[in-house]
């Protein structure tokens, strides 16, 4: 298989491993998820490097996936930079969510608040939206906010929203719903 690897574009490797990582996360297999996100992050590094060298724009969807992979692998500075670059090009709900998460992990309270405040209601992700409003009230009312707690609350909201979306998708697959909730990528 190594022979054919050179014919596969890095962004495809990144996309596939991103999806595998999200699936492993949903199954709560953190070890596999971490491995998939690390592989995806490496592939997106290569993809972003090639696009930058060629002076070409990167698709916002690839920036979001790269930023999420960076956040999942603990590369919070890279995640914040990549997701903010994405948000300059297009408002993608997951970019706001994960940029705020990365900023909170870096201790940048004002930046986290700014990103989470701009999380759009049109995303149709009620569990995340409600959790963010609660988190924002808590952070803004505290003299010294606990950003680690905020990050854990965001991670729990993402898991809960993913579980809800999977059940909702099953209903849509059986024809009980007529439209799919889009995340913007």
């Amino acid at each position: 298989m190594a022979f054919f690897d050179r014919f596969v574009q890095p962004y495809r490797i990144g996309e596939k491993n991103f999806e595998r990582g999200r699936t492993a996360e949903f199954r709560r297999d953190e070890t596999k998820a971490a491995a998939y996100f690390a592989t995806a992050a490496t592939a997106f590094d290569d993809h972003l490097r090639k696009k930058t060298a060629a002076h070409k724009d990167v698709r916002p969807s690839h920036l979001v996936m790269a930023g999420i992979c960076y956040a999942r692998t603990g590369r919070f500075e890279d995640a914040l930079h990549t997701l903010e670059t994405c948000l300059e090009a297009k408002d993608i709900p997951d970019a706001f969510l994960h940029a705020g998460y990365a900023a909170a992990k870096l201790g940048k309270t004002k930046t986290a608040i700014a990103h989470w405040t701009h999380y759009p209601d049109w995303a149709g992700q009620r569990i995340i939206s409600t959790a963010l409003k609660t988190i924002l009230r808590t952070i803004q009312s505290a003299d010294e906010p606990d950003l680690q707690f905020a990050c854990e609350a965001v991670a729990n909201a993402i898991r809960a929203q993913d579980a809800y979306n999977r059940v909702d998708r099953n209903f849509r697959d059986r024809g009980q719903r007529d439209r799919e909730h889009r995340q913007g990528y």
Side-chain angles (χ1 to χ4, degrees), residues 14-15 18-19 44 60-70 185:
E15 288 173 340
F18 173 80
E19 290 301 326
F44 280 122
S61 62
H62 292 158
L63 290 171
V64 172
M65 286 186 252
I68 292 171
C69 290
Y70 296 154
Y185 56 88

Side-chain angles (χ1 to χ4, degrees), residues 24-46:
E25 257 184 351
F26 184 75
R27 289 190 320 257
R28 297 200 181 253
D29 188 348
E30 301 303 325
T31 305
K32 278 190 179 178
Y36 287 133
F37 284 127
T39 301
T42 302
F44 280 122
D45 283 340
D46 191 29

Side-chain angles (χ1 to χ4, degrees), residues 26 127 157-169:
F26 184 75
I127 296 169
I158 291 169
R159 270 191 228 100
Q161 187 69 60
D162 284 348
Y164 175 82
N165 289 349
R166 287 197 185 245
V167 169
D168 189 47
R169 183 169 292 118

Side-chain angles (χ1 to χ4, degrees), residues 48-57:
L48 296 176
R49 192 172 21 262
K50 285 180 180 180
K51 287 289 192 174
T52 302
H55 302 290
K56 293 184 178 180
D57 290 334

Side-chain angles (χ1 to χ4, degrees), residues 34-103:
Y36 287 133
F37 284 127
T39 301
T42 302
F44 280 122
D45 283 340
D46 191 29
H47 176 61
L48 296 176
R49 192 172 21 262
K50 285 180 180 180
K51 287 289 192 174
T52 302
H55 302 290
K56 293 184 178 180
D57 290 334
V58 180
R59 288 178 47 193
S61 62
H62 292 158
L63 290 171
V64 172
M65 286 186 252
I68 292 171
C69 290
Y70 296 154
R72 296 294 201 283
T73 56
R75 295 171 51 187
F76 300 115
E77 285 285 348
D78 292 337
L80 185 58
H81 173 73
T82 302
L83 293 165
E84 286 179 340
T85 301
C86 172
L87 289 170
E88 291 171 7
K90 186 175 180 182
D91 289 348
I92 297 178
D94 278 354
F96 288 109
L97 182 64
H98 290 86
Y101 180 87

Side-chain angles (χ1 to χ4, degrees), residues 109 113 138-140 142-148:
T109 306
I113 289 171
T138 304
I139 290 174
Q140 291 169 334
D143 292 332
E144 292 195 28
D146 184 358
L147 295 179
Q148 184 58 37

